[in-house]
Amino acid sequence: MAPGSLGGFGLLILFSLAMLVSGVYQLKQISSSTAWIMQAPLQKDRLAADWHGALVAGVQSSMAVAMSDDPALAKLFEAENVAASKESTKRQDAFASLISTPEEKALFDKLGEFRQLYLDKRNAITAAKKAGNMEQAKQLFENEFMSASRGYLACSGQLILATALDCK
């Protein structure tokens, strides 16, 4: 082989190595950018799903309290309801910090309205049960609580769908 072609071949290998290093660096940058971009949508999706799961459990326990003839059941679930409300507030605050679009904000605000209505109805049932007003508690359950909880669950489901679509 001619000495000039050996130098040219070495130069070609050197340029190939430089392009390889540059390509690996670019892939690493793209990977970290993708992870950063997806972090907020995935976090919102998890928060919404956790919030909905806690809500389903809360609705079920509130239904048990409302339908039971035992006034002690309301007292039993009272501490759990307080803890669940605090946990939901934490999730709500965490989710609020991640809102990025006007549509998300509108849905979140609507969910907050449903949450307050649900809590008001749940607390009214618990108060009636503790006071021994079983008939009033059943009336509140049938006439107000069920529609409030359905609205809250439906809106929470919409939030899950919206956040899931952000992750795709």
Side-chain angles (χ1 to χ4, degrees):
M1 226 193 242
S5 64
L6 193 57
F9 185 67
L11 192 58
L12 182 65
I13 289 176
L14 188 62
F15 282 135
S16 296
L17 186 60
M19 288 188 333
L20 177 68
V21 169
S22 173
V24 168
Y25 177 76
Q26 294 291 336
L27 285 174
K28 184 176 166 109
Q29 292 296 100
I30 290 171
S31 175
S32 63
S33 295
T34 302
W36 182 80
I37 289 170
M38 288 305 296
Q39 183 178 359
L42 287 174
Q43 194 173 9
K44 282 191 290 189
D45 186 50
R46 288 183 189 124
L47 283 168
D50 289 349
W51 189 358
H52 185 77
L55 172 59
V56 169
V59 168
Q60 290 172 346
S61 67
S62 295
M63 288 172 67
V65 167
M67 296 307 293
S68 172
D69 290 329
D70 183 6
L73 195 59
K75 292 176 186 170
L76 176 71
F77 280 109
E78 187 173 22
E80 183 180 316
N81 287 341
V82 169
S85 290
K86 286 180 182 177
E87 201 56 40
S88 284
T89 299
K90 286 180 186 176
R91 286 186 183 104
Q92 189 175 5
D93 292 345
F95 191 93
S97 69
L98 298 171
I99 292 174
S100 58
T101 66
E103 294 82 13
E104 280 180 355
K105 176 74 172 132
L107 187 56
F108 180 77
D109 290 345
K110 182 179 171 186
L111 186 61
E113 292 170 14
F114 276 114
R115 179 176 186 238
Q116 190 57 54
L117 181 64
Y118 164 80
L119 292 174
D120 291 346
K121 302 309 174 191
R122 182 196 71 191
N123 293 342
I125 289 171
T126 302
K129 284 284 190 165
K130 283 173 62 177
N133 298 329
M134 302 304 170
E135 191 58 38
Q136 180 188 12
K138 284 188 180 182
Q139 290 294 321
L140 285 167
F141 174 75
E142 292 169 0
N143 298 333
E144 299 176 25
F145 176 80
M146 287 307 295
S147 64
S149 62
R150 279 190 209 109
Y152 191 18
L153 285 167
C155 194
S156 177
Q158 289 175 353
L159 188 67
I160 289 173
L161 288 175
T163 59
L165 292 175
D166 280 352
C167 292
K168 291 184 178 181

